[in-house]
Amino acid sequence: MKKLPSAASHRVIKLTVSAAIILILSAICFIFPLRPTAAEIKDNKLTEFPEFTVSALTSGDWFSDISLWFSDTVPFRDTVKKIRSGLSIAFGDREANGLNESVTENTSEITEAG
Amino acid sequence: MVFSSLTFLLAFIPAVFICCFFCKTTAARNIVLLVFSLIFYAFGEPVYIAVLVFLSLCCWIFARLTELAGSKKEKKLWLTASVAVCILSLMYFGGSDFLIKIINSLAGAELFSATVTALPLGMSFYILRLISYSVDVYKGKASAQKRFYKVLLYASLFPLAVSGPVVLFHETENELTERSISLKDVSNGLTRFATGLAKKVILADGCAVAANSLLFPGASLSDTALLSENVAALSGKSALSLWAGAVFFMLQIYLELSSYSDIATGLGLASGFHFKENFNYPFTASSFSDFCEKWHISLISFFRDYIYSPLCEAKSGKLRQISALFITCILVSLWHGLSSSFLLLGIGAFILLAAENFIFAKIKDKCKPIGRIYLLITVFFGFILFRADSIAVFINTVKGMLCLNNNPLYTKVALNFIAGYAVLFILSIIACTPLIKIIKKNLIKAGENNLFANVIYRVCDIASPAVLIILSVLYMAASPEKAFGYFGF
């Protein structure tokens, strides 16, 4: 009968798989030509890499904008968004921005905030 | 920088661990961790790094003077100076705005204008760490560090930056100097990190969206200044919306705090630091005292060990113990923020703890099921007050829950909305209980005699961190960084 890997080997495999996922995703994010400059579907201008100014640096805005650029221009952005929309069916609508419960005299009307 | 961002996961963390991988000694790894911790703080507010460095320098100098002092009186003097610098800084950054508002309202004119609008990132937590360092040196539990960078590293360690846990200096002194990193620790650390990250971006943020939608129309938690103005709008909410919103908020806060603790513990473990557990399934507690032993354990322990115990000497009478308890509860509430709602929460906590330990001590643990119901009700309304951030909004919310605002019991809109969050709700409830831990334990036990169970366990154990990381990346990508409900500390 084939022997299962030892506990130490199991840990090595687990660590390798998780670390590899992080490193591969990280490497993809740093392949700059893969970063989109406009959304394929909506054709909106995405966040650009922030311009460096001393005031932006000291206020922290420059770093925050880098973080925003990094997230907003992730490679395969629109594919990622489509998958996430699918997940929202199970885990709730993340784009929800308020719940407007308008009540008329006789019935509760269904309206939802934008 | 926040933990739940792509920048942190895919740029910062790989950079830290790649650099640490090439370090041969603990000292070299400490320098790497220190540099990256300062970068972490700089990402949000580069100017306030000066505050962190200044306070660490003060505490380092005063601790050295404490250790070198000849008399107990002199030691106490340097300890007082150290603690005073920390407390005054915290009061300036965290309380000056509130105090100015009170002075202006009492004077009926704007005598002073607020100069500080927000607390620097993690200040409440690193202040506690620096106080711990000063007190531990004074009491002889730890030695004053000869090298300043170790104190700065202890104060600034990035896994602890955002939300603790509050790691006491004497518990981590040895690991600051010398620590070994085992494969088991790195593997467990990464798993814990992945679990915490997924808990935050999938469950906690989902509960936050639900809570914000159900409780306040479009207002986010960061706009607490606007919440009081939403009292009228709140009155139109159905009772079901308010009940469900409050439950989601309760889940949000626990999941956020516990997820950040998981992330901190996981990253600490992967770096060779062994932090104590910070949460122990607090909603399963059977009394408020039990809840305090399971919720933010490190924070409560800090105040118990450094405030309550010294105030309440051995063999002291009940009056002294009750006074010490009152002072401790008020200080914990003020640490969270200078506002009437936090003060009310502190007083409420004192009343419950005093009643449970001095009046109902004998019957407190007699009937645990009733105790659990009482605890959940108490904590539920406590969270509403925490969320409301003003007594007027709290009262209006509770009135709405009882349909006393001429609001309906439920609406179809609310029912449909809540139904859309059913899966999230169930998973969030499971995350608040030790169910996954029990299943894992049973699977491991079954796997000892059953090959199939063993294979299932191994596959799940290997795949789960990877799957959680991928899901987290999907949620973090192309979406704004969600505010952390506890970010004001």
Side-chain angles (χ1 to χ4, degrees):
Chain A
M1 192 172 81
K2 215 173 180 181
K3 271 179 88 176
L4 286 171
S6 64
S9 304
H10 174 81
R11 278 186 214 118
V12 168
I13 296 168
K14 184 163 108 170
L15 183 59
T16 306
V17 168
S18 304
I21 296 279
I22 293 176
L23 289 172
I24 290 168
L25 290 173
S26 178
I28 291 171
C29 281
F30 281 100
I31 301 173
F32 292 111
L34 285 180
R35 287 193 165 265
T37 51
E40 289 157 7
I41 297 164
K42 288 185 182 170
D43 199 26
N44 291 327
K45 202 123 197 297
L46 299 173
T47 309
E48 289 181 357
F49 192 86
E51 196 186 319
F52 176 81
T53 60
V54 174
S55 61
L57 176 73
T58 52
S59 67
D61 288 343
W62 190 66
F63 292 110
S64 307
D65 290 343
I66 287 177
S67 203
L68 195 62
W69 165 82
F70 196 84
S71 294
D72 203 30
T73 59
V74 68
F76 313 111
R77 180 184 190 276
D78 293 320
T79 309
V80 166
K81 286 201 98 165
K82 277 183 211 166
I83 297 171
R84 210 178 64 219
S85 295
L87 287 171
S88 72
I89 295 166
F91 295 113
D93 179 12
R94 294 310 171 91
E95 305 301 320
N97 188 28
L99 192 68
N100 197 346
E101 298 175 89
S102 305
V103 180
T104 62
E105 255 184 52
N106 298 314
T107 57
S108 300
E109 292 290 327
I110 295 176
T111 59
E112 286 191 26
Chain B
M1 196 186 297
V2 292
F3 289 156
S4 54
S5 67
L6 279 189
T7 319
F8 181 76
L9 176 65
L10 300 181
F12 188 85
I13 287 295
V16 172
F17 285 99
I18 288 169
C19 290
C20 282
F21 181 76
F22 291 108
C23 293
K24 302 291 179 200
T25 61
T26 302
R29 274 192 284 271
N30 281 348
I31 299 293
V32 168
L33 285 175
L34 176 60
V35 168
F36 276 97
S37 295
L38 294 177
I39 290 172
F40 183 89
Y41 277 93
F43 230 75
E45 305 152 336
V47 172
Y48 290 132
I49 290 179
V51 175
L52 168 62
V53 173
F54 171 74
L55 289 174
S56 302
L57 188 64
C58 287
C59 288
W60 176 69
I61 291 170
F62 288 134
R64 294 275 283 161
L65 290 169
T66 304
E67 199 167 64
L68 294 168
S71 64
K72 195 168 181 181
K73 196 176 173 184
E74 204 183 331
K75 283 184 190 291
K76 222 171 207 172
L77 175 71
W78 294 124
L79 171 67
T80 307
S82 189
V83 173
V85 163
C86 292
I87 299 292
L88 287 170
S89 306
L90 190 60
M91 282 174 64
Y92 172 72
F93 284 101
S96 56
D97 190 31
F98 177 75
L99 291 170
I100 285 169
K101 275 182 194 164
I102 290 183
I103 292 169
N104 287 343
S105 71
L106 285 173
E110 201 174 316
L111 298 176
F112 305 100
S113 56
T115 53
V116 179
T117 53
L119 207 57
L121 172 68
M123 187 178 202
S124 298
F125 286 99
Y126 70 66
I127 289 280
L128 294 186
R129 288 197 287 278
L130 288 171
I131 290 174
S132 161
Y133 172 63
S134 304
V135 174
D136 285 351
V137 168
Y138 169 79
K139 285 186 171 178
K141 280 185 176 179
S143 8
Q145 298 300 298
K146 289 189 172 55
R147 297 188 191 280
F148 168 61
Y149 85 88
K150 277 192 189 167
V151 176
L152 186 58
L153 174 64
Y154 167 67
S156 66
L157 202 57
F158 74 86
L160 308 176
V162 176
S163 157
V166 181
V167 176
L168 306 180
F169 185 76
H170 67 266
E171 291 174 348
T172 203
E173 185 187 9
N174 293 338
E175 286 181 339
L176 273 172
T177 307
E178 190 62 47
R179 60 186 179 274
S180 59
I181 302 175
S182 67
L183 181 66
K184 185 179 175 184
D185 283 345
V186 179
S187 176
N188 289 343
L190 195 52
T191 302
R192 192 77 186 263
F193 167 74
T195 307
L197 187 64
K199 207 197 279 187
K200 164 70 175 112
V201 300
I202 300 173
L203 299 183
D205 287 349
C207 288
V209 171
N212 288 342
S213 298
L214 289 164
L215 287 175
F216 302 110
S220 68
L221 191 62
S222 59
D223 293 330
T224 48
L226 299 174
L227 293 184
S228 298
E229 297 172 13
N230 284 334
V231 168
L234 197 59
S235 302
K237 290 284 184 183
S238 64
L240 174 67
S241 283
L242 296 173
W243 280 100
V247 170
F248 274 113
F249 178 69
M250 198 164 107
L251 291 171
Q252 174 203 338
I253 293 297
Y254 167 68
L255 290 169
E256 279 189 346
L257 283 175
S258 63
S259 66
Y260 272 58
S261 289
D262 288 337
I263 290 170
T265 305
L267 290 175
L269 209 50
S271 310
F273 291 101
H274 297 80
F275 303 141
K276 287 185 180 169
E277 289 301 325
N278 207 22
F279 287 87
N280 188 16
Y281 307 105
F283 295 139
T284 61
S286 55
S287 65
F288 192 71
S289 307
D290 193 21
F291 179 81
C292 290
E293 286 174 23
K294 293 173 189 273
W295 177 276
H296 218 312
I297 298 167
S298 63
L299 180 71
I300 306 291
S301 300
F302 175 92
F303 280 93
R304 186 195 58 216
D305 295 344
Y306 290 85
I307 307 289
Y308 179 75
S309 295
L311 285 176
C312 183
E313 293 159 351
K315 295 182 187 174
S316 57
K318 269 193 182 166
L319 187 61
R320 186 160 184 148
Q321 288 175 24
I322 291 170
S323 308
L325 180 64
F326 179 74
I327 292 169
T328 308
C329 288
I330 294 300
L331 285 175
V332 172
S333 68
L334 290 179
W335 176 87
H336 280 81
L338 273 180
S339 76
S340 50
S341 52
F342 283 128
L343 209 53
L344 208 57
L345 281 168
I347 292 169
F350 161 70
I351 291 170
L352 289 171
L353 288 169
E356 283 179 15
N357 290 295
F358 297 101
I359 302 171
F360 303 111
K362 287 180 184 168
I363 61 165
K364 190 175 68 178
D365 296 318
K366 291 282 183 206
C367 187
K368 290 203 171 175
I370 293 176
R372 288 197 173 103
I373 294 169
Y374 140 77
L375 180 272
L376 284 172
I377 293 170
T378 310
V379 159
F380 176 75
F381 284 101
F383 274 112
I384 295 174
L385 181 57
F386 180 73
R387 166 73 189 210
D389 205 32
S390 87
I391 295 166
V393 175
F394 170 71
I395 290 171
N396 202 289
T397 308
V398 173
K399 278 172 67 181
M401 286 173 162
L402 302 171
C403 295
L404 295 175
N405 285 337
N406 287 326
N407 56 315
L409 181 63
Y410 73 95
T411 59
K412 284 181 191 170
V413 173
L415 273 173
N416 287 338
F417 186 89
I418 292 163
Y421 281 84
V423 172
L424 177 79
F425 177 73
I426 291 166
L427 290 174
S428 300
I429 294 291
I430 290 171
C432 295
T433 65
L435 182 63
I436 302 289
K437 214 172 180 177
I438 293 168
I439 291 171
K440 185 178 171 181
K441 202 174 166 183
N442 287 332
L443 208 50
I444 293 172
K445 202 174 175 184
E448 284 168 8
N449 300 313
N450 184 319
L451 179 66
F452 181 69
N454 200 329
V455 168
I456 293 288
Y457 163 70
R458 283 172 183 255
V459 168
C460 290
D461 195 45
I462 288 169
S464 54
V467 167
L468 290 175
I469 288 168
I470 291 169
L471 282 175
S472 301
V473 167
L474 285 172
Y475 269 93
M476 290 188 292
S479 88
E481 288 165 10
K482 299 280 191 299
F484 172 38
Y486 227 66
F487 225 32
F489 315 98

